[in-house]
Amino acid sequence: MSEKILITGGSGLVGTALSKAYKSTSEEITLVTSSHYDLTQQLDVNFMFANHKPTKVIHAAAKVGGLGSNMKYKGGYLYKNLMMNTNVIDQANVWGVKRLVAFLTTCAFPAEVEYPLDHTKIHLGEPHESNFGYAHAKRMAEVQIRAYREQYGVKYSCVIPTNIYGPNDNFSLEHGHVVPMLIHKLYKAQRDGTDFNVWGTGKPLREFIFAQDVAELTKWVLHNYDGEDPLILSTSDEISIEHLVDLLVKEFKFTGKVKFDRSKPDGQYRKPSDNSLIKSLVPAFKFTPIEEGIKQTVEWFKENYDKARR
Ligand code: NAP
Ligand code: GFB
């Protein structure tokens, strides 16, 4: 019997990359967004499963944002993500969904824990103060899946990506993550001949993974992995925000002034992750180099400036 795959968050950074990842397959794929169903509402989620009756689900939908947005709206990040995850994972079980993959994030890990981060450390301490609302909501998805695997025998799994970037990201100057926000700011600085303002000291370290890589790996997980250990999706290559800025300035051939605004937060200093599990499962996978990923993302933004989320 052919699979019916439902992908929540279908209009997002990961959702659109998943749509591309499934282009060449004969699988029956349905992408949904908040315009179809509000996943914070149990009745909507019930209708969604009744209407589509999927056999497999990739639950990518979430209220997602960068450091500034997370610091400002912790209650909203907690509530909306708790409700979405609780509803989708519960209703998937009610409707007999065989396989489901849900998304955590490396920023859900404890702020103070022995590095590198691995799946055994998710609950060993408080998350970073800057985004504890979102982080706790994400952690509860892991708890719910563990509880449902034990009680109902479902083979649901979690993936834990590091900072994701790529085409069709959210380039909003209030809610964006660092890569899309800096791309948007640099685009305007070059267009208007103004300074390029970067938050913080530039010293924090981040691991960036290209959205298409996340999509290909998540698709592999859905069809090949029913283990209980959450899988970190990471290149395990840390770069400083300063280095990221240099890559972007080079890509834009920007000759204006770069200013680091220390009145803005640095957030968590680093969150180095252990990707040995996914590498052992998919040893031949090649991550997109950051230079190539940045090039594709900047080109996409310039070509789609009018329609991009900004
Ligand atoms: P995104 O670009 O912001 O997309 C979010 C998606 O969720 C959109 O399709 C959005 O639909 C949908 N959504 C939001 N609220 C909804 C609601 N109430 N009901 C139904 N759908 C709703 O996010 P992303 O970057 O693709 O993230 C995908 C997953 O990866 C998330 O679970 C996120 O936590 C996780 N993740 C992201 C990162 C990262 O750096 N981006 C890192 C680690 C993990 P609309 O467009 O209609 O609002
Ligand atoms: O992606 P980001 O906003 O969030 O990156 P996190 C924040 C880092 O980039 C901080 C620096 O060190 C900032 O000082 N930065 C420099 C900037 N300029 C800018 C700028 O213009 N905009 C932004 N946003 N940052 C996120 C979580 O943490 O990690 C999310 O908040 C998500 O929930 C994501 O889980 C994976 O990496 O600090």
Side-chain angles (χ1 to χ4, degrees):
M1 182 187 91
S2 79
E3 300 290 358
K4 290 179 73 176
I5 299 169
L6 179 74
I7 299 174
T8 69
S11 55
L13 170 66
V14 173
T16 47
L18 281 165
S19 170
K20 195 173 163 189
Y22 275 101
K23 269 270 179 304
S24 55
T25 67
S26 58
E27 314 268 8
E28 186 186 333
I29 309 295
T30 304
L31 296 149
V32 293
T33 78
S34 64
S35 60
H36 302 108
Y37 308 96
D38 178 352
L39 301 180
T40 64
Q41 304 302 313
Q42 189 188 48
L43 209 50
D44 267 30
V45 177
N46 189 281
F47 282 141
M48 179 176 77
F49 281 99
N51 293 342
H52 299 288
K53 297 186 180 57
T55 56
K56 293 183 176 179
V57 173
I58 297 177
H59 172 43
K63 178 170 171 51
V64 184
L67 173 61
S69 181
N70 264 277
M71 289 178 72
K72 207 168 162 188
Y73 304 109
K74 289 172 185 160
Y77 277 92
L78 176 78
Y79 175 75
K80 289 182 177 173
N81 286 304
L82 264 183
M83 295 309 288
M84 279 191 248
N85 297 337
T86 304
N87 287 333
V88 171
I89 295 166
D90 184 62
Q91 289 292 306
N93 179 49
V94 167
W95 285 88
V97 169
K98 290 186 305 188
R99 299 274 300 108
L100 175 143
V101 177
F103 281 74
L104 273 66
T105 165
T106 51
C107 81
F109 278 95
E112 309 289 334
V113 73
E114 188 191 343
Y115 291 148
L117 305 174
D118 70 46
H119 67 275
T120 67
K121 300 174 180 174
I122 297 171
H123 302 283
L124 297 185
E126 267 301 292
H128 193 264
E129 185 278 326
S130 62
N131 66 347
F132 70 80
Y134 176 70
H136 279 296
K138 284 294 185 179
R139 289 187 185 188
M140 288 318 293
E142 185 278 326
V143 172
Q144 186 177 2
I145 283 177
R146 195 160 15 111
Y148 279 39
R149 286 178 67 99
E150 192 176 304
Q151 180 175 346
Y152 302 113
V154 291
K155 296 292 184 190
Y156 297 172
S157 309
C158 304
V159 290
I160 313 180
T162 56
N163 290 54
I164 310 171
Y165 72 100
N168 201 49
D169 204 338
N170 181 353
F171 293 82
S172 156
L173 295 178
E174 185 193 7
H175 300 291
H177 286 108
V178 57
V179 172
M181 214 160 146
L182 288 182
I183 288 173
H184 189 175
K185 290 202 278 188
L186 191 45
Y187 176 90
K188 290 174 79 172
Q190 187 161 53
R191 181 193 63 189
D192 307 336
T194 54
D195 295 347
F196 172 36
N197 291 307
V198 180
W199 291 357
T201 63
K203 299 299 175 219
L205 302 169
R206 290 292 182 270
E207 295 167 333
F208 294 107
I209 185 167
F210 195 49
Q212 204 56 45
D213 294 353
V214 172
E216 298 295 343
L217 288 171
T218 303
K219 178 181 162 196
W220 182 91
V221 170
L222 182 73
H223 298 282
N224 299 283
Y225 179 78
D226 61 9
E228 61 181 358
D229 293 337
L231 294 175
I232 286 177
L233 305 185
S234 157
T235 61
S236 285
D237 291 336
E238 282 185 302
I239 66 168
S240 70
I241 298 300
E242 226 165 17
H243 182 193
L244 171 67
V245 166
D246 292 343
L247 291 173
L248 291 170
V249 164
K250 191 171 161 220
E251 184 59 34
F252 274 85
K253 298 185 180 59
F254 179 69
T255 55
K257 201 161 180 218
V258 180
K259 291 176 77 174
F260 286 85
D261 177 356
R262 289 166 182 265
S263 73
K264 295 288 186 187
D266 269 344
Q268 194 161 351
Y269 177 64
R270 61 190 292 235
K271 29 191 180 178
S273 60
D274 173 355
N275 68 355
S276 55
L277 214 42
I278 194 68
K279 284 183 78 166
S280 67
L281 291 167
V282 200
F285 188 81
K286 294 273 176 282
F287 292 100
T288 302
I290 184 121
E291 294 80 3
E292 175 56 28
I294 290 290
K295 182 174 181 302
Q296 289 187 35
T297 308
V298 168
E299 282 171 358
W300 184 90
F301 183 70
K302 287 180 178 174
E303 285 159 20
N304 297 276
Y305 182 75
D306 292 336
K307 72 171 194 181
R309 288 182 288 169
R310 51 185 175 84

